[in-house]
Structures are given as structure tokens and as C-alpha cells.
Amino acid sequence: MSIIQHDVIIIGAGAAGLMCAASAGQRKRSVLVLDKGKRPGRKILISGGGRCNFTNYTVEPQNYLSQNPHFVKSALSQYTQWDFLGLIAKHDIAFHERDHGQLFCDDSAKQIVDLLLRECADTEKVKYQYQIDIISIERLDNTGFIVHTNNGVYQCESLVVASGGLSMPRLGATPFGWKIAEQFGLKVIQPQAALVPFTLDGKEKELCNLTGTALPVRVSCNNQSFTEALLFTHRGVSGPAILQISSYWNVGDTVVVDWLPNLDLADLLVQAIDKNPAQELKTMLSKVLPKRLVEIFIGLGDVTNCLLRQLTQKQIDHIAMTLHHWILKPNGTEGYRTAEATLGGVDTNYLSSKTMEARDVPGLFFVGECMDVTGHLGGYNFQWAWSSGWVAGLNV
């Protein structure tokens, strides 16, 4: 069987892989993108409710989790959110800002996939093979790689692994990229689901009676806090606040919930006692919290209902402390099925932060979600895909 030669082979036609292909193609490198799916950018297409939260106005290293927290700095500075917004302007894609600087397409996430494919097409150097199974990868003596597939054998000088993590398995997520890393002696940090809803059990399962209700909260765990919406589900809790804090949570940890992050409940109670001492506590609390949630607090014994005038200062302080520092102990998470990202992956200590190349395996690159870099909710993971993909493309 003949071996087809390319300068660069990229495994994965997702956000990072396509950005890398465009970047390499602009340098006149011949590029072959291999993907086991039927079409490119599948995760992009369903992201952000079909409108793709493609980046954020504010992108900082502290928006990312990694065992090597400094790793992201170089790539994020080499290719910034403003660079990607330049592409958005070039392709006349209308967009809007939501909370916390999050940027979404006005129309469709398909516009982002089309943008990437047009950028690749303009180079006239990028080719694609879909529904490809990679059988094996061989390392040639300092001259590149041979990739054996179900549709032929390919040789390249540079091999880029852009196969993603394990989130959203319905889109075909696999640990393939980590197997390649281990084949070539790179350490893989144990992956786990990130940006994922919590499940609840025991008495806390009562909260599931509020399925569909959302409210602003502050959640804290392991010295991290987020103030955003919490959503009750039929299995537990979700919403932006929970997804964010889930990346910092480990099995067995508790999460502190402030149900009234924008109010001082102790002061509110004192004012209510002064204005309407004959009112019941649950009636007063139901003015600032969902009534069913207040009933659950009472049912669980966290709050004892009484007339406001019966409250002592000690009881006021206890109620305020309870609802501003409510202890939630998740049973677990929904796992990769609903996770928006993956924690862990290829240990970045084995990679160059400036090029994404494996330090001890010349020509081997990793980009995007398959490495140990996980962004916060809000467009940060896509920005990492753009930044890491672009930087690798400049060096393959």
C-alpha cells in the first residue's frame, strides 16, 4: 500500500484542530485533518444552545485550571480574544454579549464552523478525511510519523493531537488522545468531568421538588466562589454557579451555598420584625426566596417557623448564618454525559507552553481539551482551542 505524504496531520476536526489547520495552512504547510465523525465542528454546533459562546471579552490565566497554572500564559498572549474577534469581524458574523463578557453568535454556531472551514480553504493547503479510524501510529527516527488508518497510510513531519476530552460522549468523545500521549511517554493526569451538574441524595434530594426553578446564589468550595444562577433539576442542581464550582469539587467535598448573596438577612429580619411583628417567618422569607424552598428549609429543620416577634437576636443570627452558609453535600455529578469540559489530560509539564510541542518527542503536538487545561464557563474553553491551535499551527 502506498504511503501518502503531508507536512502535518491533525487528528480531530474540532475547534482546536481546525484552528491549527488554518494556522499551518497559512504557512503553506500541507495539512491533512483526520476525524472519525461524519462532519467537522460537531461540539461547536451544539454549544451555547446552538449559538456558540465563542470567547469572552475578558480572558485571563486565572480563568483556567491546570496543575501547571502558568502554562496557558504564552498561548493566550500569542493569540488573544481580540485576534479571534478580528476573524469574527472579517467574516461579518453578528454577535452579542451576555453576562460576564460572554460572546455569542446572533444567528448560529454553524457560522463559527463555516468561518474555520473558509479560513482553511483560503490557504488551499488543507484536506480532510472523515469517518476515519486510526489503527496505529509509528514514530520514524526524527523524521516524523506514519499513521495507519482504515482508509490508507499517511506520513507526516508533524502530528497534532486535537481529539478532545471525554465530555459529551454522544458526539463520539474517546480517550484516544491520551493513549497517543502515553504511547510516546507523556504522563496523563487522571481525567474527570468538569462544568457538570451535581446529583443529590438523602435529605437534600428534597431540593429536586423545585425542578425548573432558578435563583441567584453564591457557591463556594476549596477557596473558590462564584455568584451566578443555580437551577434545580430532577436529579440535583445545575446552572452556571454549580457548573463553575464543579470544576473545583472533589468527591466527599461540601459546597457552601449563600441563598441570598445580595442581601443581609439578619438586617432584613430586624426590619421585618419592626414593620410586621405578627407575620410568620416563612411568609417573610418567601418574599425573598421561592416559597417551596423555604418550606424545604423548615421541613429539614434548618429553619423553625414562628411569628417574627418571637425571634431572639440569637435566633436571627442563626437563621442568617444558616441561609448565608448552607452546607450542600453532593452525591456526585452527572458525569461526562452532560459535562461541558474535561479536567485533567496530557500533563502540560511535558509540553512547550510556547509551541504546544512535546518536549521529548519532536514533531508531536497537543492542542485543545485533550491537555490538562480547563477553562471556566463563559467562552474560555473555546478561546483555549483558538489560542493553542493557532500557536501549534505556527510551529508544525
Side-chain angles (χ1 to χ4, degrees), residues 85-340:
L85 282 166
L87 274 185
I88 293 291
K90 174 184 173 182
H91 292 269
D92 295 319
I93 297 176
F95 67 94
H96 60 276
E97 179 184 1
R98 298 187 190 171
D99 291 344
H100 310 294
Q102 302 173 70
L103 303 179
F104 290 78
C105 298
D106 283 356
D107 184 15
S108 167
K110 185 175 182 297
Q111 294 175 292
I112 301 298
V113 178
D114 290 344
L115 174 158
L116 294 167
L117 294 177
R118 285 199 298 272
E119 287 292 309
C120 289
D122 287 348
T123 73
E124 300 182 346
K125 301 295 286 184
V126 182
K127 296 182 179 180
Y128 309 89
Q129 290 277 354
Y130 296 108
Q131 295 182 288
I132 292 294
D133 290 324
I134 295 175
I135 298 167
S136 65
I137 297 171
E138 297 177 48
R139 172 94 169 112
L140 301 176
D141 291 337
N142 296 318
T143 59
F145 302 84
I146 293 180
V147 180
H148 297 262
T149 79
N150 63 332
N151 194 43
V153 181
Y154 305 95
Q155 184 173 339
C156 62
E157 294 175 18
S158 297
L159 179 66
V160 182
V161 181
S163 53
L166 289 179
S167 60
M168 301 185 181
R170 65 186 181 281
L171 298 181
T174 73
F176 182 74
W178 303 326
K179 291 180 180 178
I180 296 175
E182 290 174 334
Q183 175 185 341
F184 291 103
L186 281 69
K187 178 184 175 182
V188 174
I189 294 170
Q190 180 63 42
Q192 66 185 68
L195 301 179
V196 63
F198 287 137
T199 56
L200 300 177
D201 203 358
K203 66 176 185 177
E204 291 168 336
K205 187 79 171 173
E206 290 288 324
L207 294 173
C208 298
N209 292 326
L210 282 83
T211 297
T213 300
L215 72 162
V217 301
R218 181 181 295 113
V219 292
S220 305
C221 182
N222 290 322
N223 300 314
Q224 292 290 329
S225 296
F226 295 94
T227 303
E228 296 211 48
L230 175 149
L231 172 69
F232 298 99
T233 72
H234 70 286
R235 286 168 52 86
V237 286
S238 185
I242 295 300
L243 298 185
Q244 295 279 38
I245 206 66
S246 71
S247 295
Y248 295 89
W249 177 85
N250 298 302
V251 175
D253 286 346
T254 58
V255 176
V256 178
V257 182
D258 182 348
W259 295 105
L260 295 164
N262 301 313
L263 295 172
D264 185 322
L265 183 54
D267 284 351
L268 210 61
L269 284 167
V270 170
Q271 294 172 27
I273 292 168
D274 185 55
K275 291 179 181 178
N276 195 352
Q279 188 177 59
E280 288 190 345
L281 174 61
K282 69 176 182 180
T283 303
M284 177 266 162
L285 290 176
S286 296
K287 293 178 179 179
V288 292
L289 289 169
K291 181 180 178 182
R292 285 183 297 169
L293 181 59
V294 174
E295 291 171 347
I296 288 172
F297 290 150
I298 293 171
L300 293 176
D302 295 323
V303 174
T304 301
N305 189 41
C306 63
L307 298 180
L308 293 180
R309 65 168 173 255
Q310 295 174 309
L311 290 173
T312 65
Q313 186 60 51
K314 183 177 180 180
Q315 289 172 316
I316 291 171
D317 293 341
H318 172 74
I319 294 167
M321 175 61 72
T322 299
L323 299 190
H324 283 308
H325 300 85
W326 201 80
I327 304 300
L328 177 73
K329 188 167 185 179
N331 179 51
T333 74
E334 291 281 3
Y336 292 114
R337 181 179 65 85
T338 59
E340 296 195 18

Side-chain angles (χ1 to χ4, degrees), residues 53-56 64 102 376-384 386:
N53 179 191
F54 56 81
T55 192
N56 195 291
Y64 295 88
Q102 302 173 70
H376 288 169
L377 191 70
Y380 299 104
N381 285 301
F382 274 122
Q383 184 58 47
W384 178 246
W386 315 140

